[in-house]
Amino acid sequence: MTLPRIAVDAMGGDEGVRVMIEGAAIARRQHEDFEFLLVGDQARIEAALENHPGMRGASEILHCEDVISGDELPSRALRRAKTTSMGLAVNAVKEGHAGAAVSAGNTGALMAMSKIALRTMPGIDRPALAALMPTLEAHDVVMLDLGANTDADARNLVQFAIMGAAYSRIVNGFERPVVRLLNIGTEEIKGTEALREAAATLAAASAREDGGLALQFDGFVESDKINRGETHVVVTDGFSGNIALKAIEGSARFVTDLLRQAFTSSLRSKIGFLVSRPATELLRHHLDPNNHNGAVFLGLNGVVVKSHGSATAKGVANAVAVAARLLENNLTQRISRDLAELGGNALRSNGSTPAAPDGDENGAAT
């Protein structure tokens, strides 16, 4: 299958052009059919390509010197969408010059630009930011929303569940992923009215005799069970999701730092490290965020993938691979089919104007 090319915001991220081009090159070596539209300063991109000659025949450069800063307000970034590398990468998807966009830049700005340029799919009120996180099992868990919407009502949560399940079917291969709503307890009486209402809707749709939605709704999950592997999709609002994500990432860093300190504290512990090195290397690999890099804005009329700003080239390559996989498996069509099964149009609020992008009411967390 010939994939549409992928627009890469070469200027985004902590290290910018070098890492973004190297990451795209790694992805290209792993998948020879990948082609790219590299958006950014042409001189810097061409200099980076000198180290990756295999990329030249697979890439086109769209020159742009203007860059969105990491602390720039989404509202200000929107006004510069037509002159910045991030904005032009997203616009390439809108205009059909690329099938997907990948950026490691400002999350709030990327969400705002993507919502305005691509708009939400029919039946979706708000897009959600979804990512993969490691579990004790062989599969990752899909979690959303991770910061695109600071609050969410029952209708939003149901839509997030449908989108997350479609994503899980693509990346993990589950025919009917197990979906749970993040809550402060697993009892039916726990949580907000929105959570309980969303749970009732999903339970009814999941239990229909005709098979209903292509997911298994299994009630609530608490945050300490997210990474156990028993749940395939965890659904929540962006405020709670972003806090949970950062708590999990912080705990992972704490464990690895604690092990590093323990294994270097004495000669005896250093010997112990050498003995246990295969196990600790496996742990390090499992907790490395670069191996799970590539968050997706679900619910848009197009594919946009957010790479972590501090991602290494390997992490960027993973983000590019995620974008390609979603294109190959027609993610938007899958979501549309599932919305039709539930009667998605009935779930919509009046109008689907994109939420305010400033990060104050419903804007994306940066």
Side-chain angles (χ1 to χ4, degrees), residues 208 213 335-345:
R208 275 169 29 190
L213 294 174
I335 293 173
S336 294
R337 286 198 299 267
D338 288 352
L339 284 169
E341 282 290 332
L342 188 63
N345 289 333

Side-chain angles (χ1 to χ4, degrees), residues 200-213:
T201 301
L202 289 168
S206 182
R208 275 169 29 190
E209 292 184 2
D210 62 358
L213 294 174

Side-chain angles (χ1 to χ4, degrees), residues 194-275:
L195 279 170
R196 295 194 300 271
E197 184 181 339
T201 301
L202 289 168
S206 182
R208 275 169 29 190
E209 292 184 2
D210 62 358
L213 294 174
L215 60 85
Q216 304 173 63
F217 179 68
D218 196 28
F220 301 130
V221 63
E222 295 179 86
S223 56
D224 63 334
K225 301 294 193 301
I226 290 174
N227 301 101
R228 303 299 297 180
E230 301 164 358
T231 306
H232 302 149
V233 181
V234 174
V235 178
T236 185
D237 62 85
F239 184 83
S240 302
N242 195 268
I243 290 175
L245 172 67
K246 288 174 180 174
I248 291 170
E249 290 178 339
S251 296
R253 286 193 295 270
F254 171 73
V255 170
T256 54
D257 290 346
L258 195 63
L259 286 174
R260 187 180 299 110
Q261 289 181 6
F263 281 128
T264 57
S265 60
S266 66
L267 178 60
R268 184 175 181 179
S269 64
K270 290 177 181 178
I271 296 173
F273 169 72
L274 293 176
V275 174

Side-chain angles (χ1 to χ4, degrees), residues 53 55 77 92 105 166-167 184-185 189 262 352:
M55 282 283 289
Y167 185 32
I184 57 174
I189 61 171
S352 57

